[in-house]
Structure formats: structure tokens, C-alpha cells
Amino acid sequence: MVPEITVLDRLLEVSELFQKDMARAFDGTPLTPSRTRLLWELAATGPSTQHALASRLEVSPRNITGLVDALEAGGYVTRSPHPSDRRAIIVSLTRSAQGMMHDMQREHAELSAELLGAVAPADRAALLRGVEAITGRLRELIAADAERQARDQAVGE
């Protein structure tokens, strides 16, 4: 008996397909998903301190330093002193990275339209509501698990 394919099975498949597509798109470049996520954040929000980037991307300051080091070495970002906080560093996209991110945003919008085109127009609003509901619930489950782990760790100390 073959098990029934669930919504979770399909979501995992979609996630895997996106990862394969991203790996193919960045093959031969120094870009990884983490580096791309940082570039995407800078493209969306503009120049930022490393501390703010680490907070928004939910990574450690040490991790953000490594990501920025690699992106700076690859010519994607520059560092400059913060104008009013001598301890802070501002990270900015280079001109060429700005162009690349503009192209990436355009391709993102095109892929989104292409994928949504596979769904009947009458079903699109329901699809969006369903995906948002699943995303919200998964966030809640992850937060609850993190709280549970923190409580368990505090009890164990």
C-alpha cells in the first residue's frame, strides 16, 4: 500500500525544488543561500549596520561578519564607518551588486507570476490564504518549541 501524499509532502517537495533552482542559478558563483539572503535584505532595506543585519537575519554577529567578509571579497558589498557611531560599520551593496539584485528581483517577480499562472484565477486567493495560514502556524510551532527548549535548559541548569 502506497502512503497518501500529504500537504506537508508537497511543501517539502516545493522547498527542495526551490533549493535546487537556487543552486543551479548560483552555480559557479560564490553565492550561497545565506549570502544571497543578506544581499536580498540589503536590496530591500538599504545600507545597514552589521548588528542590524545579524538581528534581522537572526544570525550571530560572528556569522554576519563571515558573510560580509565573503561578500566584500567577492565585490558584492562594501564596508564604511558609521557616521555617528565609531564602533559600528555600515554595509552597502556595490553598484554592480545593486544591478544584480535588481535583475534578481525582476526574475523573482517573473517566477512568482509563472508559478501563480499554474493556479486557476478563482483559486489564487484561497491558495494565498492557505500558504499564509500554514506559514503562520509553522512560525508558532517553531516559537513554542524554542520556548520549551529554553525552559528545559533553564530547569537543567
Side-chain angles (χ1 to χ4, degrees), residues 18 21 105-117:
F18 278 130
D21 185 55
Q105 288 168 329
R106 180 184 41 75
E107 291 167 2
H108 181 85
E110 289 170 359
L111 179 58
S112 183
E114 176 74 22
L115 295 175
L116 199 55

Side-chain angles (χ1 to χ4, degrees), residues 93-155:
L93 292 174
T94 61
R95 186 175 303 271
S96 62
Q98 287 173 358
M100 180 190 76
M101 293 310 297
H102 178 75
D103 291 345
M104 192 182 296
Q105 288 168 329
R106 180 184 41 75
E107 291 167 2
H108 181 85
E110 289 170 359
L111 179 58
S112 183
E114 176 74 22
L115 295 175
L116 199 55
V119 178
D123 295 338
R124 291 177 187 167
L127 171 66
L128 182 57
R129 285 192 308 273
V131 169
E132 287 176 350
I134 290 169
T135 302
R137 184 62 182 138
L138 186 54
R139 281 190 184 116
E140 290 170 358
L141 292 171
I142 290 169
D145 188 53
E147 288 176 19
R148 192 170 25 259
Q149 286 180 355
R151 275 194 315 270
D152 291 350
Q153 188 176 26
V155 169

Side-chain angles (χ1 to χ4, degrees), residues 5-78:
I5 294 176
T6 67
V7 170
L8 179 58
D9 294 326
R10 287 295 184 222
L11 290 172
L12 291 170
E13 181 181 6
V14 166
S15 175
E16 185 177 316
L17 289 168
F18 278 130
Q19 289 175 5
K20 285 180 180 179
D21 185 55
M22 183 180 284
R24 181 199 49 75
F26 295 124
D27 188 36
T29 75
L31 295 178
T32 64
S34 296
R35 292 174 188 172
T36 303
R37 186 169 172 233
L38 190 150
L39 293 174
W40 196 264
E41 182 66 27
L42 286 173
T45 62
S48 183
T49 64
Q50 289 188 184
H51 182 269
L53 284 168
S55 178
R56 287 197 307 269
L57 297 177
E58 298 179 334
V59 298
S60 69
R62 179 180 227 177
N63 191 297
I64 214 71
T65 298
L67 291 170
V68 172
D69 285 348
L71 289 169
E72 184 177 41
Y76 295 95
V77 300
T78 59

